[in-house]
C-alpha cells in the first residue's frame, strides 16, 4: 500500500529510502528511550563511599573506573573514562542520587571501547550516560545492574561541571612513567624546555620511578608546574611495556597509556587552552617561532576550525654525541644530556614518521597516541619547516654512520636559558651536596 503506484526504479528508490528512514528514526528513538534515566527510588539520603583512587575496579574485575566528566557538547551526558574487557563487559548502568528530594535515577550506559586496543583484551572505554533532567548531579555510581542499593556503591565525583577560566595556555600530558624511571637529566631538560616554550602545567601519570626522580618530581610539585596522577595499573591488570599484543598473556598495552591520555584531555578540558600529548623524551621544537604561543597563534590563523595539530617525530640518536656542552656537574646525574645530541636520522622512503599532537581539548572526543580517533573540526599536519619533534632516544637506524645523519642545532638556540634553568633545578634537588 505504502509502496504502491508507478512501478518505476525512482518510485522504488524513494520507497526504500522512506522505509529505511522510518526504521532508523524508530530505532534511534527506541535506543534513546532505553538509555533515558529512570527513577528507581525516592526520598532517600544520598549515601555511598566516595572513591579516592585513580583506578577503581568494579566487582566484576572486568571494569575499571578512572573518572567521570560532564560533557554537554552534544547532549547533557556523563562521560566516564574507564578500562573494560572488550568482550566480557556487556552492560553497565549509571546511578545518580539527586538532591534535595533524594530521588535515585538509573541510566543505561553506552559502552564505547576505543578502536585502538592493538589486540589486547582490555582497552580504554567511554562509559556514557544521559544525566537526569533538573538534577545536575555531583556524583555518579557505576554498576553492572539496574537493581541494587546505591548506598553500597562507590560514588565518583563528576568533574567539569562548572566552566572556569583557563589557568594554563599549554598543559603537557605525559603517560605513563614506569619501569623505575631514572632518566633524570633528560627529564629536567625537557621540563625546562617546556617552560621556556610556554608550558604552565605538566601532568604525569606515574606508575613508578627512582628515588632521585621522586626528588625532582617533589621540586616541580612544590613549584606548581607538575601534577602527579598515581597510576597503579599493574595492581589490577597484567600490563605490557609494549604497545602491541604479543600473545604473552598481558591484558593491556604500554601501562594503559591510551586511557591515561584520554583522561588527561578531559581533566584539562576546561582549564587549559591547549593540551600537548607527547612523551618525556620528546620536545616539539618550533623552527619559525620562538615559542609555542606564537607558533599556535599563527597555525590557528592559517587553519581556522582546526582542533588537532600533528607534529612529525624525528630521532636524534643518543649514541651520537658532540663534545659541546659537556657540563661536568651534569655527569653525576643519571640520564641523557640532550644538548650533546644534535644529529637526526634522515627520513626513510618506506616509513611514515609517527606524530604527536597539540590539541584544543574541547574539540577532542577520543584520542589515541599518534592521532585522535574522534573529534570536532579537522586535523592538520604541521610542516617540518614550521616545527618538528626532537626525540632523543636509542637509534632506529643504528647502521647509519655519523656522516649520514643530519646535523640540526635548533635546540642550541635555547642553550643559555636552558643551562641556567637546569642548573637551578639540579642544585636544589639531586646536586644539593655539591652547592
Amino acid at each position: 500500500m505504502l509502496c504502491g503506484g508507478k512501478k518505476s526504479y525512482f518510485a522504488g528508490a524513494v520507497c526504500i529510502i522512506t522505509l529505511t528512514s522510518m526504521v532508523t528514526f524508530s530505532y534511534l528513538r527506541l535506543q534513546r528511550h532505553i538509555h533515558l534515566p529512570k527513577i528507581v527510588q525516592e526520598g532517600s539520603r544520598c549515601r555511598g563511599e566516595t572513591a579516592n583512587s585513580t583506578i577503581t575496579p568494579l566487582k566484576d574485575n572486568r571494569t575499571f573506573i578512572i573518572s567521570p566528566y560532564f560533557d554537554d557538547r552534544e547532549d547533557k551526558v556523563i562521560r566516564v573514562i574507564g578500562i573494560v574487557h572488550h568482550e566480557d563487559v556487556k552492560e553497565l548502568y549509571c546511578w545518580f542520587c539527586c538532591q534535595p528530594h533524594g530521588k535515585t535515577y538509573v541510566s543505561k550506559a553506552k559502552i564505547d571501547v576505543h578502536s585502538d586496543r592493538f589486540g589486547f583484551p582490555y582497552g580504554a572505554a567511554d562509559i556514557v550516560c544521559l544525566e537526569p533532567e533538573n538534577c545536575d548531579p555531583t556524583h555518579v555510581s557505576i554498576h553492572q545492574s539496574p537493581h541494587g542499593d546505591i548506598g553500597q556503591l562507590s560514588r565518583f565525583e563528576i568533574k567539569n561541571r562548572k566552566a572556569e577560566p583557563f589557568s594554563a595556555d599549554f598543559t603537557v600530558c605525559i603517560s605513563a612513567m614506569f619501569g623505575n624511571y631514572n632518566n633524570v637529566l633528560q627529564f629536567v631538560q625537557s621540563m625546562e624546555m617546556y617552560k621556556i616554550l610556554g608550558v604552565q602545567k605538566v601532568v604525569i601519570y606515574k606508575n613508578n620511578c627512582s628515588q632521585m626522580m621522586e626528588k625532582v618530581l617533589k621540586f616541580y610539585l612544590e613549584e606548581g608546574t607538575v601534577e602527579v596522577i598515581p597510576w597503579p595499573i599493574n595492581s589490577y591488570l597484567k600490563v605490557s611495556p609494549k604497545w602491541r599484543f604479543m600473545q604473552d598473556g598481558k591484558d593491556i598495552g604500554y601501562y594503559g597509556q591510551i586511557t591515561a591520555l584520554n583522561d588527561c584531555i578531559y581533566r584539562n578540558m576546561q582549564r587549559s587552552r591547549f593540551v600537548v600529548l607527547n612523551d618525556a623524551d620528546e620536545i616539539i621544537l618550533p623552527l619559525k617561532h620562538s615559542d609555542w604561543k606564537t607558533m599556535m597563534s599563527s597555525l590557528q590563523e592559517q587553519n581556522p576550525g582546526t582542533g588537532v595539530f600533528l607534529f612529525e617525530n624525528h630521532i636524534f640518536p643518543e649514541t651520537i654525541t658532540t663534545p659541546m656542552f659537556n657540563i661536568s656537574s651534569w655527569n653525576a646525574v643519571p640520564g641523557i644530556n640532550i644538548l650533546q645530541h644534535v644529529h637526526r636520522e634522515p627520513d626513510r622512503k618506506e616509513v611514515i614518521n609517527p606524530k604527536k599532537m597539540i590539541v584544543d581539548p574541547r574539540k577532542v572526543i577520543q584520542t589515541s597516541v599518534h592521532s585522535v580517533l574522534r573529534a570536532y573540526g579537522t586535523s592538520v599536519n604541521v610542516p617540518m619547516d614550521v616545527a618538528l619533534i626532537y626525540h632523543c632516544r636509542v637509534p632506529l637506524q643504528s647502521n647509519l654512520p655519523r656522516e649520514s645523519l643530519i646535523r640540526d642545532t635548533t635546540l642550541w638556540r635555547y642553550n643559555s636559558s636552558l643551562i641556567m634553568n637546569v642548573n637551578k633545578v639540579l642544585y636544589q634537588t639531586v646536586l644539593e651536596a655539591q652547592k
Side-chain angles (χ1 to χ4, degrees), residues 184 187-188 212-220 429-430:
V184 177
F187 177 85
V188 172
M212 189 179 287
M213 193 67 221
E214 289 283 10
K215 283 186 179 181
V216 171
L217 289 178
K218 183 173 182 286
F219 171 86
Y220 284 118
T429 54
V430 298

Side-chain angles (χ1 to χ4, degrees), residues 25-38 75 93 106-110 130:
F25 180 70
S26 299
Y27 174 78
L28 291 173
R29 281 188 65 183
L30 177 63
Q31 285 298 303
R32 183 172 175 82
H33 178 75
I34 289 169
H35 291 277
L36 280 173
K38 297 170 182 64
D75 216 337
Y93 295 84
V106 173
S107 170
K108 186 178 182 182
K110 293 178 183 176
L130 289 166

Side-chain angles (χ1 to χ4, degrees), residues 3 28-29 38 44 58 60 90 183 238 241 315 337 371 383 400 411 414:
C3 297
L28 291 173
R29 281 188 65 183
K38 297 170 182 64
S44 62
L58 298 190
D60 66 350
K90 305 291 187 188
N183 190 354
K238 290 176 283 187
I315 305 300
N337 175 5
S371 64
L400 286 182
L411 186 66
Y414 305 94

Side-chain angles (χ1 to χ4, degrees), residues 375-423:
Y376 308 103
T378 54
S379 297
V380 162
N381 291 319
V382 176
M384 191 181 154
D385 64 341
V386 174
L388 58 78
I389 296 177
Y390 173 95
H391 190 184
C392 186
R393 49 155 288 169
V394 294
L396 291 182
Q397 303 177 61
S398 54
N399 58 327
L400 286 182
R402 185 188 190 99
E403 53 270 20
S404 296
L405 300 175
I406 300 159
R407 191 170 185 269
D408 183 341
T409 58
T410 305
L411 186 66
W412 287 358
R413 292 190 306 179
Y414 305 94
N415 72 76
S416 69
S417 297
L418 181 60
I419 291 168
M420 181 178 67
N421 296 350
V422 168
N423 276 331

